[in-house]
Amino acid sequence: MKFTVIGITDAPKPFFPPEVMEIIRSGLVFSGGMRHHDIMAPLLPEKALWIDITAPLDAVFKQYEQLDADVIVFASGDPLFFGFANTIKRKLPEAEIVLFPSFNSLQMLAHRLVMPYHDLCVVSLTGRPWPAFDQALIKRMGKIGVLTDRSHTPAAIAQRMLDYGYDGYTMHVGVHLGNPVREQVVTLSLEEAVASNFDHPNCLILSTDQELPARPFGIPDQQFDLLDGREKMITKMPIRLLTLQALGLPGKQVFWDIGFCTGSVSIEARLQFPHLQVVAFEIRPECEPLIYHNSRRLGAPGIDVHIGDFLQTDIDGLPRPDAVFIGGHGGRLREIMAKVRDVLLPGGCIVTNSVSSPVVQRMTDRRSSKVLFHEACVELRLKEETPIHIQLNDYNPIDILKCRK
């Protein structure tokens, strides 16, 4: 099956070279969005068949497969730039594709601004959630190009940036680019963008002339607000960094933090490894506003927070982890590890920290986490690794315990 995919802009009277005009004149079956049909209708042959590209796409491709003719598709801008040609390649990998691209919307916006865009970090929020955009912010990219939709508007994007302290950017918004009557290009501050409404479709470029400070390797403990001000209710920075090292997060995709308390481990992981999907669990409801406050204060958007007893939490719809840190277990370490093991990806790891002071063990009158961890590894057939033993100043010695599935 052959698809000829032609990129167009919002221009109401598009110009095409003779080769493309001949393809259109001789075509039988055409396809595109309803907006594309409004633009192209005057140029289509009299008996042309038009197939609207609407959700669900499976129904659209079913129509394509029932045809005994080639299909000419009209798509916005460059069809390989988050465009429909990629969808064709994914759903019909054997199909022949011929492309006639136009400029994509972010290129056009950069042209209007006379802004070099070779260093532009591009993010699509069109029908997509926030993670890629959050990652660009955490990486402190100097220029970020964003494809928007009706939910991820310039105002919503600006508000998210202000919420997490990324306020040093200027926003450039392009509306109906290519349409000589409706085109609009506006440059404004994030505060101004929050209070603004723009027609759809639009796209935007975020830029900053400020030299963005380097992200610290290890967040100082004093930068976190603590639970009731208790200094012992936080994983200290050196222990935190060693714990993240034990988890091997550079090569992981989904990280679960069970018993997050202040959120220090989740936030450190999010900032040091922006590619990670971080899911955080905590039984105490008073910790929910605490992690949100700390994540906003330290610029760590995108942590998925769940409040309640982990053993009672429905985890079926959550992404399966390949790294898990158990920061608190209330004596139920074996039960938590068993629940984690059932969803942990093959090769994934579980890490927990154990205070190894015999004095503390006698005072609590219970077996140490180190003993509970070892017993759970044996019973659950998890491969236990050599612990890391560390002591900071006058604090009790800590064992960083690790096992693999």
Side-chain angles (χ1 to χ4, degrees), residues 9 88 108 122 134 170 177 212 251 258 261 275 334 350 393:
T9 69
I88 298 172
M108 295 174 68
V122 177
D134 292 342
T170 297
L177 293 170
L212 300 173
I258 301 172
C261 192
H275 72 281
R334 185 264 172 211
I350 301 172
N393 301 325

Side-chain angles (χ1 to χ4, degrees), residues 220-239:
D221 295 337
Q222 59 269 26
Q223 292 191 18
F224 291 95
D225 278 359
L226 305 177
L227 181 61
D228 300 326
R230 291 183 284 172
E231 293 185 4
K232 292 184 179 180
M233 300 300 289
I234 184 174
T235 303
K236 303 296 182 183
M237 181 178 68
I239 301 297

